[in-house]
Amino acid sequence: MPVYHDEGVILRTQDLGEADRIVTILTASHGKVRAVARGVRREKSRFGARLEPFMRSDLLIATGRSLDVVSQAAVIMPYARAICVDYNSYLAASAIAQTADKLHADPQHNTAWRAVNPTSSRPDGQYRLLIGALGALASRLHTPLTIAYSYVLRAMAQAGWLPRLGSCVVCGTADCTYFSVQGGGTMCAVHQLPGSHSVSADSVKQLQALLEGDWGFLDSAQALDNCVGAIIEEWSEYYVERPIRSLRLLHSMI
Ligand SMILES: [Zn+2]
C-alpha cells in the first residue's frame, strides 16, 4: 500500500469491531482523512493516546482501497491533555472539532486530489486556524467561548461565508439594527428580512472582533451578547446545511 506522511488533528473517533477505531483527521496538507487505527482500543496499544480527539500528531498513513490505515503516530502537541481537564474548554474544543469536520468535504473526494498533489506540504489556512484555536484553548489564552466562536466565524469566512458587518447588505447604510443569516449580514430597518436577529452596535462590534481575532477588545469586554452566540450558531448551520450539535450545546451551557 502506498503511504503518505503528514501532521493532523484528530477531530473524532468511532469504534470499529473489537479493538479498532476509525479516526477522522484534519491534516495539514491532505485535507480531511478517515483512517483505521488497528488495535487502538487495546490496553497496550502502540498508539497510546496519540489518536484521541484534539491531539495533534505526526502521522504515517497507508492508502487503502476504502479507508486509509494509520501505520505510525507521534504526538506533536498534546492539546487534549489540557483541554479535557476543563469542562468549558472541552465543550469549546468539541464545537471547534465538529465545525471543522462538517466544513470539510468527505475524504473520498480528496483521494483524487491526493493523487494529483502528492507532495503538497504547505499547511492550509483551515488547518492553521484549527491548531491556533486548540492551542489557545490548551494554554487558556482567552475564554473558551470566545476562542470557539472566533474559530467558527473565521473558519466559515475562510470557506467563503464571510458575513457583512456594520453596513446594510442591501443599501450600505451604517445604521444597522438587524442581522440576517439568509441575507448575509447586517441590515437596516427598511431592508431587514423576516427572521432577522435584532442587534445593537455592541453586538456587531463583538462579531467584528471575533471575526478579526481582536483579542485586546474581546479580553477586556464584558460577556458576549446572547444574540452573538445565536447568530454564530445559525450562520454556521445555515451554510454548512447540517446541525452542529456541540455548537448548540456550547451556546446553551456557557
Ligand atoms: Zn438597507
Side-chain angles (χ1 to χ4, degrees):
M1 280 200 286
V3 294
Y4 58 97
H5 173 245
D6 203 345
E7 68 162 81
V9 168
I10 315 304
L11 301 178
R12 72 185 155 99
T13 65
Q14 184 187 339
D15 289 349
L16 177 73
E18 293 276 297
D20 304 341
R21 224 169 236 163
I22 297 174
V23 188
T24 303
I25 310 157
L26 186 68
T27 64
S29 36
H30 292 82
K32 188 167 91 174
V33 167
R34 290 185 82 215
V36 177
R38 300 215 185 282
V40 73
R41 281 151 64 209
R42 293 206 180 96
E43 213 168 296
K44 286 184 180 164
S45 160
R46 65 201 167 95
F47 292 121
R50 286 166 243 172
L51 298 175
E52 295 291 328
F54 321 135
M55 285 301 216
R56 178 179 166 194
S57 297
D58 191 62
L59 304 159
L60 199 61
I61 300 172
T63 312
R65 211 164 275 164
S66 55
L67 278 173
D68 293 354
V69 177
V70 181
S71 58
Q72 281 176 37
V75 170
I76 296 176
M77 290 299 281
Y79 300 135
R81 276 183 217 153
I83 287 170
C84 294
V85 295
D86 176 68
Y87 187 60
N88 285 353
S89 298
Y90 173 79
L91 280 181
S94 303
I96 289 168
Q98 212 170 77
T99 304
D101 188 14
K102 308 254 184 210
L103 257 182
H104 287 81
D106 282 337
Q108 49 266 38
H109 298 302
N110 60 35
T111 310
W113 184 90
R114 270 209 302 268
V116 176
N117 300 279
T119 54
S120 167
S121 58
R122 206 170 69 83
D124 83 5
Q126 287 286 353
Y127 184 73
R128 287 200 301 270
L129 270 184
L130 178 67
I131 56 175
L134 293 178
L137 271 180
S139 321
R140 313 269 186 272
L141 281 185
H142 317 286
T143 70
L145 192 66
T146 50
I147 293 171
Y149 282 164
S150 178
Y151 166 80
V152 172
L153 267 185
R154 297 171 83 178
M156 293 295 298
Q158 202 168 96
W161 297 293
L162 171 72
R164 177 150 169 176
L165 294 171
S167 61
C168 174
V169 171
V170 180
C171 68
T173 178
D175 186 18
C176 292
T177 44
Y178 293 90
F179 185 101
S180 166
V181 169
Q182 281 168 277
T186 44
M187 287 183 147
C188 69
V190 176
H191 294 116
Q192 59 119 343
L193 298 173
S196 292
H197 298 260
S198 171
V199 290
S200 66
D202 268 354
S203 316
V204 175
K205 206 168 168 195
Q206 289 174 9
L207 284 165
Q208 191 81 52
L210 289 165
L211 189 59
E212 289 167 359
D214 181 353
W215 296 106
F217 173 82
L218 293 167
D219 289 344
S220 62
Q222 303 291 315
L224 294 171
D225 294 345
N226 202 38
C227 72
V228 167
I231 287 169
I232 292 171
E233 185 191 319
E234 197 188 318
W235 184 262
S236 45
E237 293 196 345
Y238 181 80
Y239 290 106
V240 168
E241 295 180 340
R242 279 182 287 182
I244 304 178
R245 279 190 294 275
S246 306
L247 204 53
R248 289 185 186 180
L249 190 64
L250 185 69
H251 183 211
S252 63
M253 296 285 290
I254 300 187

